[in-house]
Amino acid sequence: MIEYALLFAAACYGAALLLDLWRIAVGPDSADRILALDTMVINVIALLVLYGIWRGTAIYFEAAMLVAMVGFVATVAYCRFVLRGDIIE
């Protein structure tokens, strides 16, 4: 039963990733693209956690933490670039 729940959740997050890609491609302005990129990172984290549950190993949880940290830094850097025009002063 847990396999079906994991498969359903993975399909939902996969569909959300596709919608994020669509928003990044046709977003009307850069704020929408930044939000879609941040949401994409969250969906990737969820997929890694689901895969870790399915495989029964903790290594994917650590990978999810690394993706979360890189995603946060990327989102902040992209926002700074859009607002100020540079990342490092």
Side-chain angles (χ1 to χ4, degrees):
M1 186 66 186
I2 190 72
E3 289 86 14
Y4 293 120
L6 290 173
L7 185 64
F8 178 73
C12 289
Y13 283 114
L17 274 174
L18 291 176
L19 291 173
D20 288 335
L21 284 175
W22 177 75
R23 177 54 64 188
I24 287 173
V26 298
D29 58 2
S30 60
D32 292 327
R33 290 186 173 107
I34 292 171
L35 185 62
L37 183 67
D38 195 40
T39 307
M40 180 182 283
V41 169
I42 291 170
N43 289 331
V44 167
I45 292 168
L47 283 174
L48 282 172
V49 170
L50 288 174
Y51 190 70
I53 292 171
W54 181 61
R55 299 288 295 185
T57 180
I59 193 72
Y60 295 102
F61 301 124
E62 295 175 10
M65 286 179 31
L66 290 174
V67 169
M69 287 190 289
V70 170
F72 173 73
V73 170
T75 302
V76 170
Y78 194 38
C79 288
R80 260 187 97 126
F81 180 75
V82 168
L83 291 175
R84 297 183 182 177
D86 62 349
I87 297 172
I88 299 172
E89 296 179 35

